[in-house]
Amino acid sequence: TDQVEDLDKADKLILPGVGAFDVAVQNIHHKGMWEILNRKALVEQIPVLGICLGMQLFANRSEEGLLPGLGWMDAEVKKFKFESDSRIKVPHMGWNIVKTVLPEHRLFEQSLSEQRYYFVHAYHIVCSLEANSIATSQYGYEFTCAVAKENIMGVQFHPEKSHAFGMHLLKNFCSI
């Protein structure tokens, strides 16, 4: 929803994301959601799940834009960079194996040992605190693809497009 009244009633939030960092930040401000998102996440501490750009908005800043992010995690968003003659394409699109760094985290509870999720992104989050990285994936190099800090959780991949693996993760989030 983009209705502040609906956000105010929420006991969980999913912050989706498709698009560009600065446009998303501007939309959050323009629709009057900045303050209520901060209150729900930081004061009320309800469970929040960011998906793709939604997770990237948790960071302080992004190489994709100039505006500051929500700053819920001490992190920056970096663009995938490979040698100019590299055969690795950006954006990263497709199925990848996700390795849980913190398999006991509730998002990944009772998951199968080899998990595959669908990715579509050119940017990825880099956390200042290693403890905030709960899963990684490989695309030219290892990168953080899932983060958590208390009630705030995010994934770079798209669970809604990731069949049984994604449904399991979303079910886990709903049970938090």
Side-chain angles (χ1 to χ4, degrees), residues 80 88-89 91-99 112 114-121 136-141 143 145 156-170:
F80 278 115
I88 301 173
K89 304 286 183 220
H92 167 213
M93 294 176 62
W95 291 88
N96 263 53
I97 293 173
V98 168
K99 180 178 122 188
L112 298 172
E114 186 172 281
Q115 301 170 70
R116 294 177 42 138
Y117 294 92
Y118 189 78
F119 289 82
V120 180
H121 63 120
T136 62
S137 192
Q138 187 78 29
Y139 191 68
Y141 50 82
F143 66 95
C145 67
Q156 185 60 62
F157 49 83
H158 287 269
E160 75 281 8
K161 295 178 182 253
S162 298
H163 302 292
F165 299 109
M167 291 304 296
H168 185 78
L169 184 133
L170 291 171

Side-chain angles (χ1 to χ4, degrees), residues 2-175:
D2 64 355
Q3 302 300 308
V4 173
E5 308 81 48
D6 292 336
L7 289 177
D8 197 35
K9 297 175 196 169
D11 59 2
K12 287 183 179 56
L13 291 175
I14 295 178
L15 190 59
V18 173
F21 192 89
D22 278 1
V23 173
V25 169
Q26 288 170 338
N27 283 337
I28 290 169
H29 281 293
H30 176 72
K31 294 176 185 270
M33 296 189 297
W34 190 268
E35 288 176 15
I36 193 158
L37 286 173
N38 279 310
R39 179 172 49 84
K40 297 300 272 186
L42 303 176
V43 178
E44 295 178 27
Q45 295 191 322
I46 68 167
V48 178
L49 177 65
I51 297 174
C52 198
L53 174 61
M55 176 192 73
Q56 293 175 7
L57 292 170
F58 297 170
N60 297 320
R61 67 192 65 72
S62 174
E63 287 183 352
E64 185 179 22
L66 302 173
L67 297 175
L70 290 161
W72 295 347
M73 290 202 180
D74 189 12
E76 292 187 29
V77 178
K78 305 275 188 180
K79 185 171 185 168
F80 278 115
K81 292 184 179 116
F82 306 108
E83 295 179 25
S84 59
D85 64 344
S86 175
R87 295 180 192 191
I88 301 173
K89 304 286 183 220
V90 176
H92 167 213
M93 294 176 62
W95 291 88
N96 263 53
I97 293 173
V98 168
K99 180 178 122 188
T100 53
V101 177
L102 194 62
E104 67 274 8
H105 191 279
R106 292 185 65 190
L107 271 184
F108 294 104
E109 265 183 352
Q110 299 176 351
S111 295
L112 298 172
S113 58
E114 186 172 281
Q115 301 170 70
R116 294 177 42 138
Y117 294 92
Y118 189 78
F119 289 82
V120 180
H121 63 120
Y123 295 83
H124 61 90
I125 199 164
V126 177
C127 297
S128 295
L129 297 173
E130 233 178 269
N132 292 144
S133 176
I134 63 169
T136 62
S137 192
Q138 187 78 29
Y139 191 68
Y141 50 82
E142 188 174 57
F143 66 95
T144 294
C145 67
V147 298
K149 179 183 175 188
E150 300 166 358
N151 58 303
I152 299 167
M153 298 153 271
V155 294
Q156 185 60 62
F157 49 83
H158 287 269
E160 75 281 8
K161 295 178 182 253
S162 298
H163 302 292
F165 299 109
M167 291 304 296
H168 185 78
L169 184 133
L170 291 171
K171 182 179 172 187
N172 284 348
F173 174 71
C174 288
S175 72

